[in-house]
Amino acid sequence: MIDQSIYSLQGDLRLKLIEMYHSANAGHIACSLSCIDLMIGALIHHKKEEDSFILSKGHAAASLYVCLNHTGEISNEELKTFYKNGTKLPAHPAANKFTGIPFALGSLGHGFPIAAGIAKANQLKKNTAYSYVLMSDGETNEGTTWEAAHFAVMHKLDNLIVLIDKNGLQGFGHTKDILGDTASEEKWQTLGFEVLSINGHDLEQIINGIDKLKKSKNSKPKVIIGNTVKGKGVSFMENEMKWHYLPLDPGLYQQAVNDIRKQYRA
Amino acid sequence: MRKAFSNIISKVAKDDKVIFITGDLGFSAFENIQESMKNRFINTGVAEQNMIGVAAGLAHKGYKVFCYSIAPFITYRCLEQIRIDVCFHKLPVFVVGNGGGYGYGIMGATHHSIEDIACMSSMPGMTCYIPSFVEDVETSVLEILESGTPAYLRLGLGKKSPIQQTKPECINTVSSSPEAKITVLALGPIINNIIAAMETEGYKEKVNLFSAVKLPFDNLNAPFLQSIRNTKKLLVVEEHIARGGIAEHIALSLMNKNIHLDKFKSLHALGYPSGLYGDQNYHQAQSGLDTGNIQKTIKEWLTN
């Protein structure tokens, strides 16, 4: 059973996110809106204390910060320091500051090998913890994705759950026009992963999907391909590459707030 | 040194927190440890970036992880993984590169590592261990394990040590004489060319010889500093390029300590000056790191 109160986080955390970005006058907003639902499902709903969660697409750090704010690890006061001089919360997660942020991430393609190493350690120790890693579809361009994927299959890491935020857009264009679809279901299936393709904004699909994969002890590493919309929840940002980078001016900020309130009844 | 390394790993691997990862290398050297370590011996294949990332994940969960490959492949190829995944988090991941310098000789430039110390010594919190002699390998591995912080171990073709080995210092004394006129500091097994130069010409009494075993030089030991002050002449010999090598490191350390020298010379790897290839001795000679050229330099300094 899914606790119904979790659905309200979809709106609440989005509002918190854009407020943070707005006061910081910072970009990467659409990247965070794209993966926040996957994070609510994996990090807030599913993750147990012994599990690990790695946000490999470090440019969505703000979504990690609001989730850890919700779980109580990052205070409201701390959250206000986002992007400011002297902060523990820079634009990409920093090392050695919070238990919930075990690794500094931001250079793409680092989180998957680390998560595979954690899963391997859990396997060696025969403990039942899960290792989660969230990547972006653009990030799967990185060669380490394919090194780590083969490693995970070879070592039968069925305690490893890879989440791909597949919004179809990357730094300077559509993924299909750059290197093609490096996050395609077929490729991951062929490699030997158990693949689940879902709507990456539907919390029920996310939570039940992870649940199903956790129970599947078939020696196959898992991947959830979350089909998402970059900028999800803010109409003028949706599927617009420029919102990978742009900050919000006061007028647009108000419009974004209204959009989120309307869509999520937040 | 690879045999000495394999021997000490087989001893320390009795600790079930020790993991050994190879990047698909170690034929006819690591079969024993592969057998004894069982599932703690992992061949991650020809994928060095993943190897370091996986090692960081394992170390995060409490393992102490050795990662082995040919020196250039395990340093340059995965430098960002070493910097971020390992060093930023001060994890016990120990990078072991075989064939430092021109060690892989006729295998060619792709297999040489003459910029590795510059890269690895600049990584935050990384300690570099460069054994000069076979015996240094065991003491270095034991200290690396005890420290539990990021380390780079550069292996080469070593000989037996002429002195009794102790714990690796930044700078170890190899030979010294009260009448010495010159201080010589060497990096790695190239020290054997200096020993040969000293023996052939009977220069033993004129030269104090030191080996740089550990970087950074945060603690220059007293006998070395005394020798520098007495002789005021320092010759540095290293199978590494000048930029980021130990000559630069030591020059900075001495200037910070306000120690002045009358003569300072760096003999170092020059890359591929003729554009041609050969064995390790050939490349050493091309860079003036051969016994003959070292003799010549010492002779010049003794006569002037």
Side-chain angles (χ1 to χ4, degrees), chain A residues 227-242:
Chain A
N227 296 287
T228 55
V229 173
K230 194 158 186 157
K232 174 72 178 173
V234 177
S235 55
F236 59 87
M237 283 189 195
E238 290 191 357
N239 288 319
E240 287 288 337
M241 192 182 68
K242 65 183 178 188

Side-chain angles (χ1 to χ4, degrees), chain A residues 35-77:
Chain A
C35 65
I36 187 72
D37 303 306
L38 288 165
M39 294 187 62
I40 294 168
L43 175 58
I44 295 181
H45 179 84
H46 270 289
K47 185 186 169 295
K48 306 264 184 299
E49 199 182 340
E50 67 270 22
D51 298 338
S52 59
F53 180 93
I54 306 271
L55 177 69
S56 196
K57 50 171 288 188
H59 52 287
S63 61
L64 181 58
Y65 300 156
V66 295
C67 286
L68 294 178
N69 173 248
H70 175 78
T71 59
E73 193 175 346
I74 295 178
S75 70
N76 289 331
E77 282 307 298

Side-chain angles (χ1 to χ4, degrees), chain B residues 143-188:
Chain B
E143 188 173 299
I144 285 168
L145 265 175
E146 197 188 326
S147 79
T149 51
Y152 172 55
L153 177 64
R154 185 204 222 208
L155 300 177
L157 193 61
K159 291 186 179 170
K160 275 187 149 325
S161 172
I163 52 162
Q164 187 160 5
Q165 292 297 300
T166 51
K167 252 172 93 80
E169 303 278 348
C170 289
I171 294 179
N172 280 351
T173 308
V174 176
S175 72
S176 65
S177 152
E179 302 155 41
K181 303 286 180 217
I182 300 171
T183 302
V184 179
L185 177 65
L187 177 84

Side-chain angles (χ1 to χ4, degrees), chain B residues 17-74:
Chain B
K17 287 280 179 242
V18 172
I19 287 183
F20 188 91
I21 304 182
T22 174
D24 205 28
L25 287 156
F27 175 69
S28 86
F30 296 145
E31 285 80 358
N32 285 349
I33 48 175
Q34 182 174 27
E35 201 173 310
S36 65
M37 291 181 80
K38 299 192 170 64
N39 60 1
R40 288 182 292 117
F41 181 100
I42 305 171
N43 182 351
T44 49
V46 196
E48 293 79 10
Q49 297 173 69
N50 182 59
M51 168 172 23
I52 300 294
V54 164
L58 287 162
H60 173 67
K61 297 299 283 183
Y63 287 104
K64 293 172 267 189
V65 191
F66 287 91
C67 295
Y68 174 88
S69 187
I70 294 178
F73 308 157
I74 202 160

Side-chain angles (χ1 to χ4, degrees), chain A residues 50 52 94-96 102-105 107-110 112-118 120-122 124-127 129 142-144 147-149 151 155, chain B residues 17 19 39-40 42-44 46-58 60-63 77 80-82 84-91:
Chain A
E50 67 270 22
S52 59
N96 315 318
F103 281 90
L105 272 310
S107 175
L108 298 175
H110 283 245
F112 188 8
I114 290 170
I118 291 173
K120 180 67 192 173
N122 288 333
L124 284 169
K125 292 175 171 191
K126 297 188 169 57
N127 71 31
E142 292 279 6
T144 51
E147 295 183 6
F151 176 84
H155 287 263
Chain B
K17 287 280 179 242
I19 287 183
N39 60 1
R40 288 182 292 117
I42 305 171
N43 182 351
T44 49
V46 196
E48 293 79 10
Q49 297 173 69
N50 182 59
M51 168 172 23
I52 300 294
V54 164
L58 287 162
H60 173 67
K61 297 299 283 183
Y63 287 104
R77 181 58 168 265
E80 193 182 66
Q81 278 74 15
I82 292 170
I84 300 177
D85 306 355
V86 175
C87 289
F88 279 15
H89 308 96
K90 305 179 177 67
L91 289 169

Side-chain angles (χ1 to χ4, degrees), chain B residues 165-233:
Chain B
Q165 292 297 300
T166 51
K167 252 172 93 80
E169 303 278 348
C170 289
I171 294 179
N172 280 351
T173 308
V174 176
S175 72
S176 65
S177 152
E179 302 155 41
K181 303 286 180 217
I182 300 171
T183 302
V184 179
L185 177 65
L187 177 84
I190 195 85
I191 199 163
N192 292 303
N193 293 7
I194 304 162
I195 291 172
M198 286 162 66
E199 278 168 4
T200 317
E201 293 283 314
Y203 285 169
K204 214 161 202 164
E205 295 73 31
K206 306 288 184 197
V207 172
N208 287 339
L209 179 59
F210 297 88
S211 65
V213 180
K214 192 162 73 169
L215 283 168
F217 290 139
D218 48 12
N219 185 23
L220 295 179
N221 63 344
F224 176 73
L225 288 175
Q226 195 54 54
S227 177
I228 291 282
R229 288 195 171 99
N230 290 347
T231 63
K232 294 192 177 302
K233 293 187 182 72

